[in-house]
Amino acid sequence: MKVLMVAPYPFPGKPIRGGVETVTYNLVEGFKNVSEIDLRIISYCQDYDAVIELSPNVSCLFFKSQFPSRKMELKKHIKTLVISIDEEWNPDIIHIQGNGSNFLLYDEKIKNKLVITQHGIIWNEMKQTMSLRPKINMLIAYLIERKMRSCIANWVFISHYNLKYNSKFVNSSAINYCQVYNPVNPKFFIDNPSNEHTGLNLLFVGRIVPRKGLKDLLVGLSRVNNPNIKLHVVGGFEVDSYYDEIESEIERLGIKGQIIMHGWKNTDEIFKLYTDIDVLVLPSYQETLPCVIAEAMAQCKIVVATNVGGIGEMIDEGKNGYLYSAGDISALSNILQKVYALSKKERKEMSKYSNEKARRLYSPTGVSKAHLEFYKTILHKND
């Protein structure tokens, strides 16, 4: 089966940035082991012109941006590439990772073979975006999606949350869909959880923007008033003023000695960092199905997170982590105290549960095979 995928994919040697790029990378790792699939990727998030063979059955076309606007890039350059490859190679499936402005790639010629994976709920994310320019861009993407989504016949939803959000829409007899969780990089799966640290090492991973809730975590940590709890922050700031705001907050709270700022890290660096981590904390105000939680679970880690989006599908209360309402800093600080007080036996049991659930739901091989089966239903429907 020939599959053309349009998605952000990291150039070899470069760090992975963003949830969709992470998902694409992990899914491709699974597809490398599925000999039935001949996969070609178009990556539109790189600054290089190159065609690289990633495995005997997977290759990726990287290209430099030709337009100042990503929407123009999608409408003009990438759409031309997709139609050209469709005419020359005739793939069975054309799979686009990501919704919103990606609907600009739609063309009547490829309608029946086109698949969209909805990674985010744009309207909900837009409500949590403070800066005007990103908010306007998201509104435009939302309007494009709203206008075009009825044209798409085949959908992949990454969580029951996504599926429920679209329940009225997908009940149409013209819609073919499946629900498949995002995969985790196989490197992250380990066999033996180790929680021998005398203190408690927390990890925050993600773009450092207001909706990710890092400021709540800093305040919650300060209220615990325990210098044995350290917080490792991995991620980059999109706005310099917000960096200044976070630095000022750390100073004001008097917790500078407990915070380690790492900046962006590549996959191997994050993997090594997990050796020193006990708990992942994700205090976000909006998420769909965070890859970072699935990665932490594969690494046998306890997870503390807000009960937003699809996170409740990932965390079983008291078994592999704890949930709280977004913005409830008192609840967050109480949970951090509770986790700190867990016995070694309790931590080990929760760590084991996390890993086992990750293996059931987020294995790249299992997720890629689920995609293959969905592709087959599309081909059968088109016959």
Side-chain angles (χ1 to χ4, degrees):
M1 181 185 298
K2 296 190 290 186
V3 178
L4 176 64
M5 185 175 291
V6 184
Y9 187 86
F11 194 84
K14 297 291 183 179
I16 298 175
R17 295 191 177 184
V20 181
E21 189 165 295
T22 300
V23 171
T24 304
Y25 180 87
N26 298 342
L27 183 58
V28 168
E29 289 301 296
F31 278 140
K32 288 177 180 178
N33 299 315
V34 181
S35 57
E36 289 181 67
I37 294 234
D38 182 5
L39 176 64
R40 296 185 184 180
I41 307 162
I42 297 176
S43 179
Y44 52 87
C45 289
Q46 300 293 336
D47 297 320
Y48 303 90
D49 282 322
V51 177
I52 295 179
E53 185 177 290
L54 303 172
S55 75
N57 67 319
V58 181
S59 62
C60 185
L61 164 64
F62 297 97
F63 65 88
K64 290 182 180 180
S65 177
Q66 294 188 2
F67 296 92
S69 162
R70 183 167 174 269
K71 293 177 179 62
M72 289 176 64
E73 193 79 60
L74 287 162
K75 184 70 174 174
K76 302 290 185 180
H77 187 195
I78 303 173
K79 186 171 182 177
T80 301
L81 274 175
V82 170
I83 298 302
S84 174
I85 293 173
D86 179 58
E87 292 174 349
E88 294 175 8
W89 190 48
N90 190 28
D92 300 294
I93 298 291
I94 298 176
H95 192 163
I96 298 172
Q97 294 287 342
N99 39 308
S101 298
N102 284 314
F103 284 92
L104 293 171
L105 296 175
Y106 174 81
D107 191 283
E108 193 70 24
K109 297 176 184 176
I110 60 174
K111 177 179 180 178
N112 292 333
K113 62 176 73 174
L114 188 63
V115 180
I116 290 276
T117 293
Q118 186 191 53
H119 284 282
I121 308 296
I122 295 175
W123 182 256
N124 290 350
E125 292 178 4
M126 185 179 68
K127 289 189 289 187
Q128 297 297 331
T129 301
M130 305 300 293
S131 301
L132 181 59
R133 185 170 180 178
K135 206 175 187 78
I136 291 173
N137 285 334
M138 294 181 81
L139 176 60
I140 294 171
Y142 169 74
L143 293 174
I144 292 170
E145 177 176 327
R146 186 174 177 179
K147 180 181 179 181
M148 297 293 298
R149 71 176 186 172
S150 61
C151 298
I152 309 301
N154 308 298
W155 293 77
V156 175
F157 298 108
I158 64 171
S159 68
H160 292 290
Y161 162 68
N162 287 64
L163 187 54
K164 184 178 179 181
Y165 183 88
N166 292 280
S167 57
K168 292 182 180 179
F169 168 67
V170 299
N171 284 336
S172 166
S173 60
I175 301 300
N176 187 34
Y177 69 89
C178 69
Q179 188 275 307
V180 185
Y181 288 115
N182 287 333
V184 168
N185 189 314
K187 290 182 180 180
F188 280 89
F189 287 94
I190 62 172
D191 295 320
N192 299 310
S194 176
N195 288 292
E196 303 299 327
H197 307 124
T198 55
L200 188 68
N201 290 306
L202 311 177
L203 176 65
F204 170 97
V205 180
R207 292 183 299 119
I208 305 177
V209 294
R211 79 172 176 89
K212 289 292 186 177
L214 178 58
K215 190 178 289 188
D216 288 354
L217 177 53
L218 297 175
V219 176
L221 178 59
S222 71
R223 290 184 183 179
V224 176
N225 193 27
N226 186 336
N228 292 318
I229 302 179
K230 308 292 184 183
L231 171 61
H232 296 257
V233 178
V234 174
F237 291 85
E238 293 189 352
V239 181
D240 290 341
S241 61
Y242 195 59
Y243 170 82
D244 296 335
E245 194 174 327
I246 291 294
E247 286 291 307
S248 296
E249 188 73 351
I250 292 171
E251 289 285 351
R252 184 185 71 81
L253 295 170
I255 56 173
K256 191 169 184 178
Q258 295 176 250
I259 312 298
I260 302 96
M261 305 292 289
H262 292 274
W264 283 114
K265 295 286 185 182
N266 62 34
T267 301
D268 290 337
E269 290 169 330
I270 293 176
F271 180 80
K272 291 177 182 177
L273 183 58
Y274 266 115
T275 304
D276 298 320
I277 298 301
D278 303 294
V279 179
L280 174 79
V281 186
L282 193 63
S284 294
Y285 283 75
Q286 171 61 31
E287 294 286 350
T288 303
L289 197 83
C291 290
V292 66
I293 288 182
E295 289 171 350
M297 290 170 60
Q299 276 281 308
C300 303
K301 304 306 176 184
I302 298 169
V303 179
V304 174
T306 48
N307 192 11
V308 299
I311 292 178
E313 301 172 40
M314 310 179 83
I315 307 304
D316 297 328
E317 184 70 22
K319 293 184 177 180
N320 67 324
Y322 300 95
L323 298 167
Y324 71 98
S325 298
D328 190 343
I329 298 175
S330 295
L332 173 57
S333 60
N334 289 337
I335 289 172
L336 295 180
Q337 289 174 320
K338 181 189 292 187
V339 175
Y340 182 80
L342 290 172
S343 67
K344 287 185 178 180
K345 181 181 178 182
E346 289 171 324
R347 286 196 195 184
K348 190 169 185 177
E349 288 174 351
M350 294 181 73
S351 298
K352 183 180 178 182
Y353 186 97
S354 249
N355 182 266
E356 290 174 348
K357 184 170 183 177
R359 289 182 185 278
R360 287 198 313 271
L361 300 181
Y362 314 129
S363 158
T365 300
V367 171
S368 60
K369 286 182 178 178
H371 277 80
L372 175 62
E373 292 307 309
F374 181 56
Y375 295 159
K376 288 179 178 177
T377 66
I378 295 170
L379 294 183
H380 179 73
K381 187 178 179 180
N382 291 339
D383 285 343

